Amino acid sequence: MSTLTPTPPTEVPPAASAATPAGPSFASLKLDARVLTAVQEAGYTQPTPIQIAAIPEVLAGHDLIGIAQTGTGKTAAFMLPILTKLAGAGRGAPGIRVLVLVPTRELAAQIEENVNIYAKHLNIRCATIFGGVGERPQMNALRAGTEVIIACPGRLMDLMERRNGNFSGLQHLVLDEADRMLDMGFLPSIRRIVRAMPQQRQTLMFSATLSKEIEGLTRDFQRSPKKIEVGRRANPAETVTQRIYEVPHHLKLPLLSHLLQHSNLAEDMDSVLIFTRTKHGADRVARKLEQLEIRTGVLHSGRSQPQRMRALSDFKCGAVRVLVATDIAARGIDVDGISHVINYDFPMHSDDYVHRIGRTGRAQQVGDAISFVCADDEASLRQLERSIGHGILRAKAEGFDYAMAPAPGASVPRAGLVMHTPNRSGGGRPGGGKGGGGRPGSRPGGGPDGGGNSPKRDFRHSKKGK
């Protein structure tokens, strides 16, 4: 395969009227009539700015980089035009036409669900490839030439190395959550997979965040890509109210319990997603909440795939009030009606903060994001505020005893917190109900989320279905 000639992306301005009722409709975007019918039946009424800007470019066959805030409909922005192009091509010989690469199993399952909704009136098959479940159905899907494959890199590499699947007819390659897919953890896997794809293809990349360094890597995979950027890069959605609670380590669990049970926010916290830094931390928080008789689920890579699917399903249907998760849930998981996101452990990377709190306030709904900040988190907080361009409102929980001493025998892992509020310009504005919060104007890859092991030799497509 010859090397692609690096070319800078061409900027495509989003439609100025995209967010207004008078803007373009789905009917005006030249989607296939059957796809349009499915969209209408799903209750979609007005396309979002990223959809209005991206769909025509994808239909025109351009490679594309799409950057937009979380919860703005990026999956539909690439799948609706791809399905329209597949529908227009008619039913040819069986073969894999679309490959969507994603960082987590949950996101793969989510996109499959969306594809099945959009393609309900088309004769197009879709399958997921990821670890943690039996591989036989996935091997069968690849060998049968299922048209749309949504995969995590680890398991896909494993199966391709054993000559499952013929990608010689691939027409569309999508990297969803492109920033994570191209970071140092996933990049070697992505390079190997892309090397096995036909050179003549359309390559699309979508994400809510994309650093300049990662954007530079896209030139290795795309030809003269168009670039669409909706909203300020790396900014949280404006519908999310953000608050910082400065708290010592030993008071984090008591403060969490207070917010969920006794604060003036408690009655509005009906669907709460809590992020911890580690699997052990997630289990510890969940056990504590269960002891308080708060219905809680747990989602992290140490859980089996059936356990992860059950936890997410229970959270979606309201069987549990709280889901405690690591960053596995921060990438692309779309659960309607999450009222609050709580960063129990403050994220070390600004991009992770944006993806975490983007689980609430989706599709123009309002949401609340609460972050616990200890003394050793201050540097990460300052970096975040520089990244998003403004300060975040500091708050204190009414009725909570901040002078509470550590429990007998409990260890305090780090020095106590010096409570202060730095003088930063542009802080979030108070108000907006729910307690008067403010509203904002190399990670490891593969592993248990991707599934499978790295193959020891290269692989390429062939007519024999390698």
Side-chain angles (χ1 to χ4, degrees):
M1 175 177 166
S2 59
T3 303
L4 294 178
T5 302
T7 54
T10 303
E11 300 278 355
V12 178
S17 60
T20 67
S25 64
F26 281 107
S28 70
L29 296 178
K30 299 182 179 179
L31 298 173
D32 181 88
R34 291 162 291 179
V35 174
L36 182 59
T37 298
V39 166
Q40 294 169 339
E41 291 174 350
Y44 293 15
T45 57
Q46 191 76 19
T48 65
I50 186 64
Q51 293 164 0
I52 292 170
I55 287 174
E57 300 297 336
V58 178
L59 289 175
H62 297 299
D63 284 7
L64 184 68
I65 301 170
I67 306 171
Q69 294 171 330
T70 55
T72 55
K74 290 186 290 294
T75 300
F78 62 79
M79 279 312 313
L80 294 180
I82 286 176
L83 291 173
T84 290
K85 296 186 79 169
L86 294 182
R91 182 73 176 179
I96 300 170
R97 300 289 182 257
V98 182
L99 174 61
V100 182
L101 294 175
V102 298
T104 68
R105 307 170 189 175
E106 285 73 21
L107 182 53
Q110 172 97 28
I111 294 177
E112 180 189 33
E113 182 180 327
N114 291 337
V115 171
N116 289 334
I117 291 172
Y118 306 150
K120 62 185 295 187
H121 301 300
L122 303 175
N123 188 19
I124 291 176
R125 298 164 299 168
C126 178
T128 54
I129 309 291
F130 51 71
V133 295
E135 62 183 25
R136 178 60 59 182
Q138 300 176 358
M139 295 169 62
N140 293 339
L142 290 173
R143 292 171 177 173
T146 301
E147 289 86 355
V148 179
I149 297 293
I150 305 158
C152 294
R155 173 61 67 87
L156 180 63
M157 286 181 63
D158 204 15
L159 296 183
M160 289 176 69
E161 201 274 334
R162 286 184 276 152
R163 305 190 178 189
N164 291 287
N166 180 356
F167 289 87
S168 61
L170 188 94
Q171 299 167 356
H172 309 279
L173 173 65
V174 182
L175 273 65
D176 198 13
E177 301 296 335
D179 60 333
R180 179 71 184 273
M181 300 302 292
L182 294 180
D183 74 13
M184 293 308 294
F186 279 106
L187 185 57
S189 302
I190 297 300
R191 289 192 186 281
R192 295 172 70 88
I193 291 171
V194 172
R195 198 176 298 136
M197 300 298 120
Q199 187 175 0
Q200 297 299 320
R201 65 177 190 271
Q202 182 181 46
T203 304
L204 311 175
M205 299 187 183
F206 282 80
S207 186
T209 57
L210 199 66
S211 69
K212 294 296 184 181
E213 293 77 14
I214 296 296
E215 186 178 320
L217 292 173
T218 65
R219 300 174 186 177
D220 296 344
F221 306 102
Q222 295 181 302
R223 290 187 182 85
S224 303
K226 305 285 187 178
K227 185 172 77 174
I228 296 170
E229 191 168 346
V230 177
R232 189 177 184 273
R233 185 182 295 234
N235 246 27
E238 295 180 356
T239 55
V240 180
T241 299
Q242 301 171 68
R243 287 189 293 275
I244 297 293
Y245 286 83
E246 295 176 312
V247 60
H249 279 276
H250 73 277
L251 291 184
K252 287 168 71 173
L253 267 175
L255 177 58
L256 178 64
S257 303
H258 174 82
L259 291 176
L260 290 171
Q261 293 184 303
H262 307 298
S263 71
N264 57 350
L265 302 176
E267 65 179 21
D268 294 321
M269 288 183 155
D270 48 13
S271 181
V272 182
L273 178 57
I274 299 173
F275 284 106
T276 64
R277 195 168 292 158
T278 66
K279 295 178 285 187
H280 172 74
D283 289 335
R284 176 171 172 263
V285 170
R287 285 195 299 269
K288 175 63 176 178
L289 296 183
E290 286 287 354
Q291 291 171 5
L292 298 174
E293 299 184 349
I294 297 173
R295 293 169 295 137
T296 304
V298 185
L299 181 64
H300 57 64
S301 60
R303 311 280 285 180
S304 69
Q305 188 59 26
Q307 288 175 321
R308 288 161 63 165
M309 294 174 65
R310 175 65 182 271
L312 192 56
S313 174
D314 286 348
F315 189 53
K316 284 183 175 181
C317 73
V320 297
R321 177 188 174 195
V322 174
L323 181 65
V324 185
T326 56
D327 284 308
I328 189 175
R331 295 282 175 160
I333 300 302
D334 188 3
V335 177
D336 289 337
I338 294 179
S339 61
H340 292 73
V341 168
I342 298 178
N343 288 311
Y344 182 85
D345 293 324
F346 196 76
M348 292 185 290
H349 301 283
S350 299
D351 287 355
D352 288 336
Y353 177 88
V354 172
H355 284 279
R356 283 183 180 189
I357 74 169
R359 299 312 100 203
T360 187
R362 301 176 70 81
Q364 298 304 308
Q365 298 180 11
V366 296
D368 284 78
I370 292 171
S371 298
F372 293 173
V373 171
C374 301
D376 52 342
D377 298 318
E378 284 289 338
S380 296
L381 175 58
R382 288 193 296 271
Q383 179 186 29
L384 169 67
E385 292 179 318
R386 285 194 299 267
S387 175
I388 64 178
H390 60 76
I392 302 175
L393 182 73
R394 274 51 168 182
K396 282 198 171 184
E398 294 183 10
F400 180 71
D401 181 11
Y402 283 92
M404 189 187 312
S411 61
V412 180
R414 297 174 179 87
L417 177 70
V418 177
M419 305 294 289
H420 69 284
T421 302
N423 182 17
R424 297 182 176 92
S425 60
R429 65 180 183 269
K434 293 187 179 182
R439 177 172 294 181
S442 77
R443 307 181 186 92
D449 293 340
N453 300 313
S454 298
K456 296 181 180 178
R457 62 182 185 273
D458 200 358
F459 44 77
R460 296 182 184 275
H461 66 269
S462 75
K463 294 182 181 180
K464 295 181 181 179
K466 289 177 99 176

